[in-house]
Amino acid sequence: MMHENGHGHGHGHGRVHPASSSSDFSGEMNQSVSDPSSSPLYSFHFEKPVPQHPPPPSQPGTYVVQVPKDKVFRVPPPENARLFDHYTRRAKRRRGRSCVRVCACLLAGAVALAVLAAALAGVAYLVLRPKRPAYTVQALAVSGLAGLGNDASSSPGVFSPGFDATVRADNPNGRIGVRYEGGRVSVSYDGVLLADGAWPAFYQGPRNVTVFVAKAKGSRIRFSQRVRGQMAAAERLRSVPFDVDVEVPVRLQLGKVRTWAVPVRAHCTVAVDRLAADAKVVSRSCDVKVHLLSWGN
């Protein structure tokens, strides 16, 4: 008994039971009584009390939320934000420098191609010496103006004139063809536009002469008393002057190679003996201008 009590006071949390006591102990490890030599003298059973902590008092209107430890997110330090801004700015600067480098390369390539094209065009010009085409208005049939020159005071005030201009186009170049892509032709008198129409599209080979008819039509043209008097006087003199203007884009062609479209403008002054479909041309002159290209005569 002294041994049992002394042992119990030493640990304070366990109880000691003799081996010869009842074999039904909770949590004990017992051996069979049939083998006395293997039975321990005593068997021990410790019971550690579980501390009970009362829950903290909750205040009215408050809630206690328990978050698992692995779900708690940490706030990154300010150094991380500064590093992120630094690397972001550096990446933007690199991308900006790359874009500038690519644009500079493209611009340099475009300039090099333009210089090469200009050099080739200069060599071709020096070798071929292209000449500008020549134009002549061979005939100008007039309609819609009958009776205007007979008596200006009794003529109607509104006219719908029409003109059929027979044009001769001459290409003097020996190895260069001229390709017309279609343009406009207009007829006017003393600065008053009377009619306009289409210039046909066609190809003219080297040393080729092409004759065609360009039609122009006007409607509801009103002449002032002064202009009607001038036209009546000119018809009595059998020389009524008209201005024929042509504007058409032209491409030079050498074999299968074509140049860019060059605007060609021609201004012709044509005088006819009367205002009729069978009018005859009594005088003519044409001036041709080619922009962005200097052709020889």
Side-chain angles (χ1 to χ4, degrees):
M1 294 297 293
M2 293 297 295
H3 180 75
E4 179 178 342
N5 294 334
H7 190 79
H9 289 292
H11 291 275
H13 297 285
R15 296 193 302 270
V16 182
H17 303 277
S20 60
S21 302
S22 175
S23 62
D24 186 10
F25 296 101
S26 174
E28 293 183 358
M29 183 176 180
N30 297 332
Q31 300 291 334
S32 176
V33 181
S34 63
D35 189 5
S37 61
S38 62
S39 300
L41 182 60
Y42 294 99
S43 62
F44 298 92
H45 177 74
F46 297 96
E47 292 181 359
K48 187 175 181 180
V50 179
Q52 299 293 333
H53 298 285
S58 60
Q59 299 179 1
T62 61
Y63 300 90
V64 178
V65 179
Q66 296 182 356
V67 180
K69 184 177 180 180
D70 57 347
K71 299 297 183 181
V72 177
F73 299 98
R74 297 178 58 190
V75 177
E79 291 79 6
N80 290 6
R82 288 194 294 268
L83 290 175
F84 176 78
D85 292 339
H86 171 70
Y87 288 119
T88 302
R89 288 194 298 268
R90 187 168 66 178
K92 289 182 179 179
R93 287 196 298 268
R94 289 180 178 176
R95 287 196 297 269
R97 287 194 295 267
S98 300
C99 293
V100 171
R101 190 178 299 110
V102 171
C103 293
C105 293
L106 292 177
L107 182 59
V111 171
L113 290 177
V115 171
L116 180 60
L120 292 177
V123 172
Y125 176 78
L126 293 176
V127 173
L128 299 176
R129 302 294 297 179
K131 297 180 180 180
R132 70 181 67 185
Y135 305 101
T136 304
V137 179
Q138 294 183 335
L140 184 64
V142 183
S143 62
L145 296 178
L148 185 145
N150 295 333
D151 188 0
S153 61
S154 62
S155 300
V158 179
F159 296 87
S160 296
F163 299 90
D164 293 344
T166 302
V167 182
R168 171 191 169 106
D170 186 4
N171 178 17
N173 296 282
R175 289 181 290 180
I176 299 176
V178 180
R179 183 173 295 275
Y180 297 92
E181 297 189 350
R184 304 296 299 176
V185 57
S186 62
V187 181
S188 58
Y189 176 84
D190 194 24
V192 179
L193 180 63
L194 302 181
D196 62 350
W199 179 281
F202 63 95
Y203 171 73
Q204 189 176 21
R207 297 193 183 279
N208 176 264
V209 175
T210 302
V211 179
F212 59 93
V213 177
K215 296 180 178 294
K217 185 68 177 177
S219 62
R220 303 189 62 81
I221 304 299
R222 292 181 179 274
F223 296 98
S224 65
Q225 190 70 24
R226 180 185 63 84
V227 172
R228 292 166 63 180
Q230 288 180 355
M231 294 183 69
E235 188 173 18
R236 286 193 295 269
L237 296 175
R238 305 185 66 83
S239 179
V240 183
F242 291 100
D243 295 325
V244 180
D245 293 287
V246 176
E247 184 174 357
V248 56
V250 171
R251 294 179 185 269
L252 301 183
Q253 183 167 339
L254 178 62
K256 295 184 179 180
V257 179
R258 300 178 186 176
T259 64
W260 58 90
V262 178
V264 174
R265 291 180 175 89
H267 176 75
C268 299
T269 301
V270 181
V272 295
D273 60 349
R274 59 182 177 271
L275 301 176
D278 57 348
K280 296 181 180 180
V281 175
V282 295
S283 65
R284 64 176 71 91
S285 65
C286 288
D287 181 26
V288 181
K289 294 182 179 179
V290 183
H291 295 267
L292 303 179
L293 185 64
S294 178
W295 283 358
N297 295 326

